Amino acid sequence: MIGCLPEEQRQRFGAVIHEKPFRKGEVLSAQGARAQAIRIVKTGTIMVCRESQDGKARPVGIFGRGEVAGKFGIFDQNNELSFVAASPGRYCEIDNEHMKAGPHLATELQDTVARSYVRSYERLADWAQAMRIRGVTDRLAATMMLLSKEQHSHLVRPPGHSVLADLLGITRESIVRALVQLQHQQCLLRHDATHYQVMAPAIEQRMRAAP
């Protein structure tokens, strides 16, 4: 996000950007709270949750590098979603007082913030589509494609089975079986204990053949 700004403004923000680590399970922004800073995800995976009418927070998507937590606070609005770390990672934090200071917010910076809103809506729409796919294996295949997009790599580190199960509304056992099936069909290749190689052409062919 900051990288999209002209060099002069990047230098101005350099002094007020604080890079920090986060732990799995840490809440980067909470629904209903008003953020005092934005947090730009540099590495790691974030589970996006929305509290439903029964008061329970449920995942609605998984975001990765470049997503901005707490951006509603720039405009003095409360968070509409919670961002919870699904893996360890790092973020860059900028206090809102610096975001609002000076005329630059009304120009280039405001444009980059607006683009981050557009990307968030696009991501949520992609996850909504994936969750409506029939069949556990096809749904997981679509999920791995989205994770590849979020992590900017065909070598994907998915979150734990329990996170995927909560997101997709299925059991952890179903996740394990679907992963095995996708490997047998050469849609996924196991790289190591935590990573899979996403074979995009094979998954796309599978999705096109689905009824």
Side-chain angles (χ1 to χ4, degrees):
M1 174 178 161
I2 301 300
C4 297
L5 295 174
E7 177 63 25
E8 180 183 351
Q9 293 187 12
R10 287 203 302 270
Q11 292 179 357
R12 183 187 310 167
F13 273 95
V16 299
I17 297 174
H18 304 286
E19 185 174 327
K20 299 179 180 180
F22 58 80
R23 304 179 305 276
K24 181 179 179 180
E26 183 175 340
V27 178
L28 273 63
S29 63
Q31 182 178 337
R34 183 163 300 181
Q36 301 303 309
I38 65 167
R39 293 173 171 177
I40 307 166
V41 178
K42 185 175 181 180
T43 63
T45 304
I46 303 300
M47 185 164 57
V48 184
C49 302
R50 173 76 176 175
E51 188 175 303
S52 57
Q53 293 178 344
D54 61 8
K56 296 180 180 179
R58 293 183 172 86
V60 295
I62 296 176
F63 290 170
R65 177 161 58 93
E67 183 56 33
V68 182
K71 53 180 173 277
F72 289 97
I74 300 173
F75 304 104
D76 298 319
Q77 300 295 316
N78 294 342
N79 297 323
E80 293 295 337
L81 300 165
S82 292
F83 282 34
V84 183
S87 72
R90 301 186 71 84
Y91 62 76
C92 296
E93 183 176 78
I94 308 174
D95 288 343
N96 286 346
E97 61 183 81
H98 297 301
M99 298 290 290
K100 296 177 181 180
H104 48 273
L105 179 60
T107 55
E108 288 91 349
L109 182 56
Q110 194 171 50
D111 289 341
T112 60
V113 172
R115 284 195 291 271
S116 78
Y117 278 97
V118 173
R119 287 195 300 271
S120 294
Y121 285 126
E122 177 190 4
R123 286 164 159 165
L124 287 173
D126 286 342
W127 282 107
Q129 283 186 324
M131 292 179 197
R132 293 180 63 86
I133 293 174
R134 294 182 178 180
V136 171
T137 305
D138 286 337
R139 203 179 312 159
L140 183 60
T143 294
M144 294 299 286
M145 290 284 281
L146 288 176
L147 289 174
S148 176
K149 182 179 178 180
E150 290 294 337
Q151 297 179 19
H152 304 272
S153 173
H154 290 300
L155 190 62
V156 168
R157 181 174 183 172
H161 294 165
S162 59
V163 172
L164 288 174
D166 286 343
L167 176 65
L168 300 179
I170 54 182
T171 65
R172 286 178 291 179
E173 292 76 15
S174 296
I175 294 291
V176 172
R177 287 194 295 269
L179 284 171
V180 170
Q181 185 175 353
L182 289 172
Q183 289 177 80
H184 286 166
Q185 296 173 351
Q186 299 295 303
C187 293
L188 298 176
L189 298 180
R190 191 69 180 261
H191 184 265
D192 56 34
T194 57
H195 293 81
Y196 291 88
Q197 182 79 23
V198 176
M199 310 304 290
I203 291 179
E204 290 169 354
Q205 182 178 359
R206 176 190 173 90
M207 301 300 290
R208 285 194 295 269

